[in-house]
Short mmCIF file of all heavy atoms in Angstrom, two decimals:
data_model
loop_
_atom_site.label_atom_id
_atom_site.label_comp_id
_atom_site.label_asym_id
_atom_site.label_seq_id
_atom_site.Cartn_x
_atom_site.Cartn_y
_atom_site.Cartn_z
N ILE A 596 -0.28 -15.21 16.51
CA ILE A 596 -0.48 -13.86 15.99
C ILE A 596 0.43 -13.60 14.80
O ILE A 596 0.00 -13.07 13.77
CB ILE A 596 -0.25 -12.80 17.10
CG1 ILE A 596 -1.37 -12.89 18.15
CG2 ILE A 596 -0.21 -11.39 16.50
CD1 ILE A 596 -1.15 -12.01 19.36
N VAL A 597 1.69 -13.98 14.91
CA VAL A 597 2.64 -13.81 13.82
C VAL A 597 2.16 -14.53 12.56
O VAL A 597 2.16 -13.97 11.46
CB VAL A 597 4.05 -14.31 14.23
CG1 VAL A 597 4.98 -14.36 13.01
CG2 VAL A 597 4.63 -13.43 15.31
N GLU A 598 1.73 -15.77 12.73
CA GLU A 598 1.28 -16.57 11.59
C GLU A 598 0.06 -15.93 10.91
O GLU A 598 0.01 -15.79 9.68
CB GLU A 598 0.93 -17.98 12.05
CG GLU A 598 0.43 -18.89 10.93
CD GLU A 598 0.02 -20.27 11.41
OE1 GLU A 598 0.09 -20.53 12.64
OE2 GLU A 598 -0.38 -21.10 10.57
N LYS A 599 -0.92 -15.54 11.71
CA LYS A 599 -2.16 -15.00 11.14
C LYS A 599 -1.95 -13.61 10.54
O LYS A 599 -2.56 -13.27 9.51
CB LYS A 599 -3.25 -14.97 12.22
CG LYS A 599 -3.76 -16.36 12.59
CD LYS A 599 -4.91 -16.31 13.57
CE LYS A 599 -5.45 -17.70 13.86
NZ LYS A 599 -6.05 -18.33 12.64
N VAL A 600 -1.09 -12.82 11.15
CA VAL A 600 -0.84 -11.48 10.61
C VAL A 600 -0.03 -11.56 9.32
O VAL A 600 -0.27 -10.80 8.37
CB VAL A 600 -0.14 -10.59 11.66
CG1 VAL A 600 0.30 -9.26 11.04
CG2 VAL A 600 -1.09 -10.33 12.82
N ASN A 601 0.91 -12.48 9.24
CA ASN A 601 1.64 -12.67 7.98
C ASN A 601 0.70 -13.06 6.85
O ASN A 601 0.84 -12.60 5.72
CB ASN A 601 2.73 -13.73 8.15
CG ASN A 601 3.99 -13.18 8.80
OD1 ASN A 601 4.29 -12.00 8.67
ND2 ASN A 601 4.72 -14.03 9.49
N GLU A 602 -0.27 -13.91 7.17
CA GLU A 602 -1.27 -14.29 6.16
C GLU A 602 -2.11 -13.08 5.76
O GLU A 602 -2.41 -12.88 4.58
CB GLU A 602 -2.17 -15.40 6.72
CG GLU A 602 -3.23 -15.87 5.74
CD GLU A 602 -4.14 -16.93 6.34
OE1 GLU A 602 -3.95 -17.31 7.51
OE2 GLU A 602 -5.05 -17.39 5.62
N TYR A 603 -2.47 -12.26 6.75
CA TYR A 603 -3.25 -11.05 6.49
C TYR A 603 -2.48 -10.10 5.57
O TYR A 603 -3.04 -9.57 4.60
CB TYR A 603 -3.56 -10.37 7.83
CG TYR A 603 -4.40 -9.13 7.73
CD1 TYR A 603 -5.79 -9.22 7.62
CD2 TYR A 603 -3.82 -7.86 7.77
CE1 TYR A 603 -6.57 -8.07 7.54
CE2 TYR A 603 -4.60 -6.71 7.69
CZ TYR A 603 -5.97 -6.83 7.58
OH TYR A 603 -6.74 -5.70 7.49
N ILE A 604 -1.20 -9.91 5.84
CA ILE A 604 -0.37 -9.02 5.02
C ILE A 604 -0.28 -9.53 3.59
O ILE A 604 -0.35 -8.76 2.63
CB ILE A 604 1.04 -8.89 5.63
CG1 ILE A 604 0.97 -8.12 6.96
CG2 ILE A 604 2.00 -8.18 4.67
CD1 ILE A 604 2.28 -8.13 7.75
N SER A 605 -0.14 -10.84 3.44
CA SER A 605 0.00 -11.42 2.09
C SER A 605 -1.25 -11.23 1.25
O SER A 605 -1.19 -11.22 0.01
CB SER A 605 0.36 -12.90 2.18
OG SER A 605 -0.73 -13.66 2.68
N ASN A 606 -2.40 -11.07 1.91
CA ASN A 606 -3.67 -10.91 1.19
C ASN A 606 -4.11 -9.45 1.06
O ASN A 606 -5.08 -9.15 0.36
CB ASN A 606 -4.77 -11.70 1.90
CG ASN A 606 -4.60 -13.20 1.76
OD1 ASN A 606 -4.20 -13.68 0.70
ND2 ASN A 606 -4.86 -13.94 2.82
N MET A 607 -3.41 -8.55 1.74
CA MET A 607 -3.82 -7.14 1.74
C MET A 607 -3.39 -6.45 0.45
O MET A 607 -2.33 -6.73 -0.10
CB MET A 607 -3.20 -6.41 2.94
CG MET A 607 -3.73 -5.00 3.13
SD MET A 607 -3.10 -4.24 4.66
CE MET A 607 -1.38 -4.05 4.22
N LYS A 608 -4.22 -5.54 -0.03
CA LYS A 608 -3.91 -4.76 -1.22
C LYS A 608 -3.94 -3.28 -0.87
O LYS A 608 -4.77 -2.84 -0.07
CB LYS A 608 -4.90 -5.06 -2.34
CG LYS A 608 -4.87 -6.52 -2.81
CD LYS A 608 -5.82 -6.77 -3.95
CE LYS A 608 -5.85 -8.24 -4.34
NZ LYS A 608 -4.54 -8.74 -4.81
N THR A 609 -3.03 -2.53 -1.47
CA THR A 609 -2.93 -1.10 -1.21
C THR A 609 -2.97 -0.34 -2.53
O THR A 609 -2.27 -0.70 -3.48
CB THR A 609 -1.63 -0.76 -0.47
OG1 THR A 609 -1.51 -1.57 0.70
CG2 THR A 609 -1.59 0.71 -0.06
N PHE A 610 -3.79 0.72 -2.59
CA PHE A 610 -3.88 1.56 -3.77
C PHE A 610 -3.91 3.02 -3.35
O PHE A 610 -4.29 3.35 -2.23
CB PHE A 610 -5.17 1.26 -4.56
CG PHE A 610 -5.26 -0.15 -5.07
CD1 PHE A 610 -5.97 -1.10 -4.34
CD2 PHE A 610 -4.65 -0.52 -6.25
CE1 PHE A 610 -6.07 -2.41 -4.80
CE2 PHE A 610 -4.74 -1.82 -6.71
CZ PHE A 610 -5.44 -2.77 -6.00
N PHE A 611 -3.51 3.90 -4.27
CA PHE A 611 -3.68 5.32 -3.98
C PHE A 611 -3.91 6.12 -5.25
O PHE A 611 -3.46 5.76 -6.33
CB PHE A 611 -2.51 5.89 -3.15
CG PHE A 611 -1.13 5.66 -3.72
CD1 PHE A 611 -0.45 6.67 -4.39
CD2 PHE A 611 -0.49 4.44 -3.55
CE1 PHE A 611 0.82 6.47 -4.88
CE2 PHE A 611 0.79 4.23 -4.03
CZ PHE A 611 1.45 5.26 -4.72
N LEU A 612 -4.68 7.19 -5.09
CA LEU A 612 -5.03 8.08 -6.18
C LEU A 612 -4.43 9.45 -5.88
O LEU A 612 -4.67 10.02 -4.82
CB LEU A 612 -6.55 8.18 -6.30
CG LEU A 612 -7.09 9.18 -7.33
CD1 LEU A 612 -6.66 8.80 -8.74
CD2 LEU A 612 -8.62 9.24 -7.25
N LEU A 613 -3.63 9.95 -6.83
CA LEU A 613 -2.92 11.21 -6.62
C LEU A 613 -3.63 12.36 -7.32
O LEU A 613 -4.04 12.24 -8.47
CB LEU A 613 -1.49 11.11 -7.14
CG LEU A 613 -0.61 10.03 -6.51
CD1 LEU A 613 0.79 10.08 -7.12
CD2 LEU A 613 -0.55 10.17 -5.00
N GLU A 614 -3.73 13.47 -6.62
CA GLU A 614 -4.23 14.70 -7.21
C GLU A 614 -3.11 15.43 -7.95
O GLU A 614 -3.31 16.01 -9.02
CB GLU A 614 -4.81 15.61 -6.12
CG GLU A 614 -5.12 17.03 -6.54
CD GLU A 614 -6.30 17.12 -7.49
OE1 GLU A 614 -7.13 16.20 -7.50
OE2 GLU A 614 -6.38 18.11 -8.23
N SER A 615 -1.91 15.39 -7.36
CA SER A 615 -0.77 16.13 -7.92
C SER A 615 0.37 15.18 -8.27
O SER A 615 0.65 14.22 -7.55
CB SER A 615 -0.28 17.16 -6.90
OG SER A 615 0.95 17.73 -7.30
N LEU A 616 1.05 15.47 -9.38
CA LEU A 616 2.22 14.69 -9.80
C LEU A 616 3.53 15.37 -9.41
O LEU A 616 4.60 14.89 -9.76
CB LEU A 616 2.18 14.50 -11.33
CG LEU A 616 0.98 13.75 -11.89
CD1 LEU A 616 1.01 13.79 -13.41
CD2 LEU A 616 0.95 12.32 -11.40
N ASP A 617 3.45 16.49 -8.70
CA ASP A 617 4.64 17.30 -8.41
C ASP A 617 5.76 16.50 -7.75
O ASP A 617 6.92 16.55 -8.18
CB ASP A 617 4.27 18.49 -7.51
CG ASP A 617 3.51 19.56 -8.27
OD1 ASP A 617 3.44 19.46 -9.52
OD2 ASP A 617 2.98 20.48 -7.64
N ASN A 618 5.42 15.78 -6.68
CA ASN A 618 6.48 15.06 -5.96
C ASN A 618 7.07 13.93 -6.77
O ASN A 618 8.26 13.61 -6.65
CB ASN A 618 5.94 14.54 -4.62
CG ASN A 618 5.87 15.63 -3.58
OD1 ASN A 618 6.31 16.75 -3.80
ND2 ASN A 618 5.30 15.32 -2.42
N LEU A 619 6.26 13.27 -7.62
CA LEU A 619 6.78 12.22 -8.48
C LEU A 619 7.80 12.79 -9.46
O LEU A 619 8.83 12.18 -9.74
CB LEU A 619 5.65 11.53 -9.24
CG LEU A 619 4.70 10.64 -8.43
CD1 LEU A 619 3.62 10.07 -9.35
CD2 LEU A 619 5.44 9.51 -7.75
N MET A 620 7.51 14.00 -9.98
CA MET A 620 8.45 14.63 -10.91
C MET A 620 9.71 15.10 -10.19
O MET A 620 10.82 14.88 -10.66
CB MET A 620 7.77 15.81 -11.61
CG MET A 620 6.74 15.40 -12.65
SD MET A 620 6.16 16.79 -13.65
CE MET A 620 5.10 17.64 -12.46
N LYS A 621 9.53 15.71 -9.02
CA LYS A 621 10.69 16.19 -8.26
C LYS A 621 11.61 15.06 -7.84
O LYS A 621 12.83 15.21 -7.79
CB LYS A 621 10.21 16.97 -7.02
CG LYS A 621 9.55 18.30 -7.32
CD LYS A 621 9.03 18.94 -6.05
CE LYS A 621 8.28 20.22 -6.30
NZ LYS A 621 7.71 20.79 -5.05
N ALA A 622 11.01 13.92 -7.52
CA ALA A 622 11.80 12.77 -7.06
C ALA A 622 12.41 11.97 -8.21
O ALA A 622 13.17 11.04 -7.98
CB ALA A 622 10.93 11.86 -6.20
#
C-alpha cells in the first residue's frame, strides 16, 4: 500500500481557481 500510494501521489496533480485575491494580498 505504501509503495502504490507513493506512486499515486507522485503522479497526482492539484489545481485551483480563485474568485477572490483578498487572502493572497492579506497574507
Side-chain angles (χ1 to χ4, degrees):
I596 291 173
V597 170
E598 179 183 2
K599 289 184 177 296
V600 172
N601 279 332
E602 181 182 359
Y603 182 81
I604 292 171
S605 69
N606 290 321
M607 189 174 69
K608 298 182 184 298
T609 307
F610 299 96
F611 54 102
L612 175 62
L613 301 181
E614 169 69 23
S615 170
L616 299 174
D617 286 350
N618 281 354
L619 290 179
M620 287 190 286
K621 290 176 184 177

